[in-house]
Amino acid sequence: MKLARSADDEAFRKRLAEFLEEHCPPEARLSNDFIASSEAGDDGVVSIPCWARKWQACLFDHGWMVPGYPPELGGCNATPSQTLVYFEEMTGRGIPRSLHFVGYAIAGPSLLEFGSDEQRRLAPAAIRGDTIWCAGMSEPGAGSDLASLSTRAERQGDEYVVNGQKVWTSYAMLASKCLCYVRTDPDAPRHEGISALIIDMDTPGLEVRPLRDISGHAEFAEVFFTDVRVPAANLLGELNRGWQITIGALAHERSGLWVEGVAICQRSIDDIVAMARRRGLDDDPVIRRRVAELYARVRGLRALGYKGFASFAQGGSAPEHSLMKVATSELQQELVELALDLQGASLAVTDPGRSEEGGRWQRSFIKVLAATIGGGTSEVQRNVIAQRVLGLPRGS
Amino acid sequence: MDFSLSAEQEMVRSTAHSLFEGQCPAGLLQAAWDDKRAAAPLWDEHLYQWVELAGADLVDLVLFMGEHGRAAAPGVFFASLQAAQLAAPTGLAAAGSATVAVAGENGLWIPHDGNARHHVPSAGDADEILWVAGSLAAPTMALVPTASATLTEVDQLDRLRPMYTVELAGPPRGIPVDPTAFAHAVDRALVTTAAELIGTGRWLLETSVEYACEREQFGQPIGSFQGLQWMLVDAALLLERADAAVTYAAMCVDADDTDRHRAVHVAKAEAGLAARSVARTAMQVHAGTGYTFEHGLHFRLRRAYAGDAFMGPSGYHLDRLGQLLFSG
Ligand SMILES: Cc1cc2nc3c(=O)[nH]c(=O)nc-3n(C[C@H](O)[C@H](O)[C@H](O)COP(=O)(O)OP(=O)(O)OC[C@H]3O[C@@H](n4cnc5c(N)ncnc54)[C@H](O)[C@@H]3O)c2cc1C
């Protein structure tokens, strides 16, 4: 236990800062909370702007996309503590890595962990963002209860024939590949009849219907499968062992997201302090106390992150991820509430010219409502924590 | 204190309920989101006549506004009603639709001079503008045609009730208003706004409870999970408390009771906090389904936050209340 950062970590921070100085495009420096950076067409369907694609590739090529990975996967073999330095530097400057997290945070790690040699070769492009991925898990009848999913895949010769529907599939209209969970054995116990397939989005019979979210933009979609034929070689991992991959996929999603989550909270605090000053509220003891309360929580979580990160950093399905996910997602929401409250009667104003930071907090408000839903709701995370961290008995 | 409804009051409530159920369906909200003009028939054909409630007992108006808030009704009715209530002490009455231009940038209804007014609801759809100037001690009012003003729409979360900045090249000469009558009218406006928030919260709570009974996961209704039950119970506690506080405030204003200053701030603060909190709970209960645009939930969520902001957010009203409590 010691406070000072190691010389290696300091050197790492300096190298990163130099890289950003030299390569980071102005568009990437402007984005707050990584939101409102994707563009939406007249139909509301979002797209990934050109600069964001180039930026992700640039990060990958220089070993700054997922620092913990080796260079061929877009990293620089960073240690866990260096990875934390990375998130703090990036988020502190408001620089996003990517505008679509499924490829580098879910598909990439799953392919690397469970894929055949050939499938593993898809990982670099997923992480570099050359291939956009979506994750087909949720269905209309299977959200929190993912194991009840009913999209069917039947083996016919050397193909699987897929029928069913996915919903709320982020980036499905932009993706060229889907990591899709299907039922391959309807007679087995629920968790033992699920498999993961890699499905090309342009396969005949696959239809994507963009679904507008509450912002009015379509960032997710419904995906319909009608006799979609998928080569048997696209099975990821073992047949009927897909549940292990879903657990892995959710953990990958969480492990990345929570660390970034803490860093986003830290940045929000800094910005809230600045806003309070701008609005002449910095002498108000009530405001000071509310900011301080949330600051204390952010710092506590940050310290907890450093404490725990080394042990549960590299993927895996550590239930501690759930703890951090709940804590950071709910904290983000409270920070946004405070930021809105600081704006008084203008708290609902979204007009870029008439609101703090161009309406950033109002957009954040809409966005972070999803933080306690996507990737497993807070309630379900609490169940996981209760049973797997605290060791409480299962309910009926 | 008697909270039971008279037969006439029960009529107001149920008439309002069927009016909005019939004339303000979910499809209208979607349409009005894309194009404000879609809300025009609701006003032209139905709601214009209800502006009369501006002269009714506040307890009756609260019942109507609860239903208005439940429906998240779009359009100019809310602004017209507020204009009619505020103008009541002067005898000024708009012939058609109207809105109120009183607030400064801080959103508070404190009369002041100058050429601009902010947070003016639905100005783009109003025929006339009630222009308030002067000061709290010596307020003045005038009705001016909207055509004579410069309007700038200021985008906000609740697109079903757009807000404007309104400017006049030469402010009109207003009629002086008795400051006590003005304060009374502002109290009515606050309780009206609070009552609408309660209705919005009511829809959010009821819809969430229904959904929790219908939606099944893990082979049982999600409403059978205690984690979810407690969330909904907490939401109900907040809302019921706020609802009663709003009705109480309405009774105080009607009776010109000495407790009315405090009661009005309690009502607006509690209603705003409750509506915002219930909206967040509703989103959490509906999860992915609630996060889609097609679901009506987000219209109420937006209304809850915008309604809290209107005439000053809950934080402001709690600060005012604090001043009242400690100044003797
Ligand atoms: C912005 C966004 C992006 C998304 N992107 C994707 C994606 O890319 N791919 C994908 O597959 N899915 C995606 N989802 C879907 C997401 O994973 C689901 O919404 C989530 O898992 C919850 O499922 P549900 O919406 O069906 O809610 P439900 O499971 O129906 O839950 C409804 C409510 O019941 C509660 N509940 C359920 N079970 C329990 C329990 N046992 N105990 C206590 N409470 C319980 C929940 O917490 C919630 O409050 C996305 C969702 C959002 C909002």
Side-chain angles (χ1 to χ4, degrees):
Chain A
M1 247 185 285
K2 66 177 183 341
L3 181 64
R5 242 188 246 299
S6 73
D8 278 357
D9 289 1
E10 260 326 308
F12 176 89
R13 182 194 295 278
K14 205 160 153 269
R15 268 196 297 130
L16 175 59
E18 282 164 6
F19 164 77
L20 293 174
E21 210 46 62
E22 191 178 337
H23 294 279
C24 182
E27 296 93 330
R29 291 170 196 264
L30 289 176
S31 45
N32 291 316
D33 301 347
F34 310 172
I35 58 165
S37 8
S38 43
E39 291 161 358
D42 289 342
D43 51 0
V45 176
V46 298
S47 59
I48 308 293
C50 183
W51 68 261
R53 290 174 184 258
K54 284 198 190 137
W55 173 230
Q56 183 168 351
C58 172
L59 283 163
F60 184 99
D61 296 343
H62 289 83
W64 291 115
M65 185 55 206
V66 183
Y69 282 155
E72 62 275 20
L73 293 171
C76 55
N77 292 314
T79 63
S81 76
Q82 288 170 345
T83 297
L84 286 170
V85 169
Y86 171 80
F87 284 127
E88 292 193 348
E89 284 294 314
M90 295 288 280
T91 315
R93 297 161 190 252
I95 298 173
R97 282 191 281 177
S98 166
L99 301 186
H100 50 107
F101 67 90
V102 177
Y104 73 84
I106 299 181
S110 302
L111 291 166
L112 292 171
E113 194 177 340
F114 297 96
S116 63
D117 287 346
E118 197 174 324
Q119 289 165 344
R120 290 167 64 91
R121 281 199 281 275
L122 298 172
I127 299 164
R128 195 169 183 268
D130 300 332
T131 319
I132 297 182
W133 284 72
C134 60
M137 297 193 266
S138 307
E139 299 178 1
S144 298
D145 185 12
L146 185 57
S148 71
L149 64 87
S150 63
T151 295
R152 265 295 264 139
E154 269 173 290
R155 182 78 186 241
Q156 283 182 12
D158 52 8
E159 288 176 328
Y160 287 99
V161 180
V162 180
N163 282 285
Q165 185 200 339
K166 298 291 174 182
V167 71
W168 310 307
T169 318
S170 299
Y171 321 115
M173 53 290 204
L174 308 176
S176 50
K177 288 192 185 294
C178 177
L179 177 58
C180 190
Y181 294 89
V182 292
R183 188 156 301 280
T184 33
D185 184 353
D187 301 320
R190 294 160 12 110
H191 296 85
E192 289 160 31
I194 295 172
S195 303
L197 290 178
I198 299 165
I199 303 183
D200 285 331
M201 294 298 283
D202 59 5
T203 316
L206 189 155
E207 191 199 343
V208 177
R209 290 188 206 152
L211 193 59
R212 284 198 290 173
D213 65 31
I214 61 168
S215 73
H217 292 166
E219 201 170 276
F220 53 31
E222 296 173 292
V223 184
F224 296 86
F225 302 85
T226 315
D227 293 330
V228 173
R229 298 188 160 268
V230 181
N234 286 14
L235 178 72
L236 179 66
E238 285 173 52
L239 184 67
N240 295 328
R241 301 277 298 180
W243 186 250
Q244 274 60 42
I245 306 181
T246 66
I247 294 175
L250 288 173
H252 293 311
E253 176 174 345
R254 281 203 277 280
S255 60
L257 294 186
W258 76 254
V259 196
E260 279 185 324
V262 178
I264 289 173
C265 290
Q266 175 66 53
R267 190 186 147 93
S268 296
I269 288 275
D270 297 342
D271 292 344
I272 283 172
V273 168
M275 171 163 51
R277 289 223 169 88
R278 263 199 315 278
R279 298 187 69 84
L281 296 167
D282 45 335
D283 281 336
D284 183 330
V286 178
I287 301 286
R288 283 187 172 205
R289 181 175 288 200
R290 271 185 81 187
V291 176
E293 239 167 55
L294 292 178
Y295 177 85
R297 277 167 62 186
V298 176
R299 299 307 276 187
L301 278 181
R302 179 170 173 268
L304 181 60
Y306 274 91
K307 183 176 159 210
F309 192 64
S311 59
F312 55 85
Q314 312 306 62
S317 58
E320 284 84 355
H321 289 321
S322 290
L323 215 144
M324 296 302 289
K325 202 247 172 193
V326 171
T328 54
S329 58
E330 293 181 359
L331 188 52
Q332 282 180 38
Q333 292 178 348
E334 287 187 51
L335 284 160
V336 170
E337 288 288 316
L338 172 58
L340 293 183
D341 286 342
L342 289 184
Q343 297 172 49
S346 294
L347 72 88
V349 175
T350 55
D351 207 305
R354 301 263 183 164
S355 54
E356 290 287 344
E357 297 169 70
R360 164 224 182 154
W361 294 102
Q362 287 72 21
R363 283 195 304 276
S364 283
F365 164 64
I366 294 292
K367 201 84 186 172
V368 299
L369 286 167
T372 50
I373 301 172
T377 67
S378 282
E379 293 69 43
V380 168
Q381 307 291 357
R382 280 188 165 81
N383 289 341
V384 172
I385 297 165
Q387 286 150 23
R388 299 189 38 214
V389 180
L390 302 181
L392 291 166
R394 262 176 181 284
S396 57
Chain B
M1 243 189 282
D2 180 4
F3 279 79
S4 57
L5 299 186
S6 68
E8 295 85 69
Q9 285 169 334
E10 192 45 66
M11 263 301 274
V12 172
R13 205 199 54 74
S14 66
T15 310
H17 187 84
S18 14
L19 170 66
F20 288 110
E21 206 169 48
Q23 306 306 328
C24 188
L28 181 65
L29 306 189
Q30 301 274 354
W33 172 276
D34 292 331
D35 181 355
K36 324 188 200 1
R37 284 170 302 186
L42 180 64
W43 162 261
D44 290 341
E45 291 161 29
H46 304 282
L47 292 181
Y48 72 95
Q49 48 187 329
W50 288 90
V51 171
E52 267 179 29
L53 284 173
D57 283 349
L58 192 52
V59 285
D60 295 350
L61 178 54
V62 159
L63 296 171
F64 189 86
M65 288 314 290
E67 297 303 323
H68 189 272
R70 179 196 290 273
V76 75
F77 171 76
F78 178 83
S80 299
L81 178 80
Q82 295 288 24
Q85 287 197 98
L86 201 65
T90 64
L92 287 170
S97 57
T99 188
V100 197
V102 48
E105 268 181 292
N106 65 8
L108 306 177
W109 282 23
I110 297 173
H112 58 101
D113 291 321
N115 294 359
R117 297 290 179 273
H118 299 270
H119 306 278
V120 180
S122 306
D125 295 316
D127 300 329
E128 290 177 276
I129 297 170
L130 183 71
W131 187 267
V132 182
S135 65
L136 272 178
T140 67
M141 288 183 198
L143 264 180
V144 299
T146 307
S148 68
T150 309
L151 307 186
T152 314
E153 184 173 345
V154 179
D155 291 339
Q156 48 119 35
L157 287 174
D158 182 7
R159 256 167 72 171
L160 299 183
R161 181 178 298 153
M163 291 287 167
Y164 294 79
T165 291
V166 174
E167 284 162 284
L168 289 180
R173 236 187 34 171
I175 322 175
V177 188
D178 170 53
T180 312
F182 181 78
H184 185 89
V186 170
D187 281 351
R188 281 189 63 112
L190 280 167
V191 176
T192 303
T193 307
E196 188 192 39
L197 281 164
I198 299 296
T200 300
R202 193 60 66 208
W203 185 95
L204 288 161
L205 178 63
E206 286 175 6
T207 307
S208 301
V209 169
E210 270 166 38
Y211 187 70
C213 295
E214 282 163 17
R215 169 74 170 169
E216 290 191 9
Q217 288 288 275
F218 303 100
Q220 47 189 308
I222 55 169
S224 65
F225 299 120
Q226 286 192 332
L228 216 67
Q229 291 180 348
W230 290 358
M231 273 164 55
L232 287 166
V233 169
D234 286 345
L237 286 173
L238 266 178
L239 189 69
E240 294 305 343
R241 194 176 69 200
D243 189 351
V246 171
T247 306
Y248 173 75
M251 292 194 282
C252 285
V253 172
D254 281 338
D256 219 357
D257 189 89
T258 48
D259 196 29
R260 73 162 207 277
H261 301 297
R262 292 179 181 188
V264 167
H265 289 302
V266 170
K268 180 64 171 53
E270 286 279 284
L273 290 171
R276 281 170 59 163
S277 171
V278 174
R280 291 194 300 272
T281 299
M283 180 58 75
Q284 191 62 27
V285 169
H286 283 82
T289 301
Y291 203 74
T292 56
F293 187 86
E294 276 61 35
H295 198 286
L297 202 159
H298 73 101
F299 294 124
R300 275 79 177 188
L301 175 100
R302 293 165 182 280
R303 176 71 46 95
Y305 278 73
D308 179 47
F310 192 67
M311 302 185 75
S314 31
Y316 164 77
H317 291 283
L318 291 176
D319 286 349
R320 289 285 301 137
L321 191 57
Q323 284 171 3
L324 291 176
L325 291 176
F326 287 94
S327 66

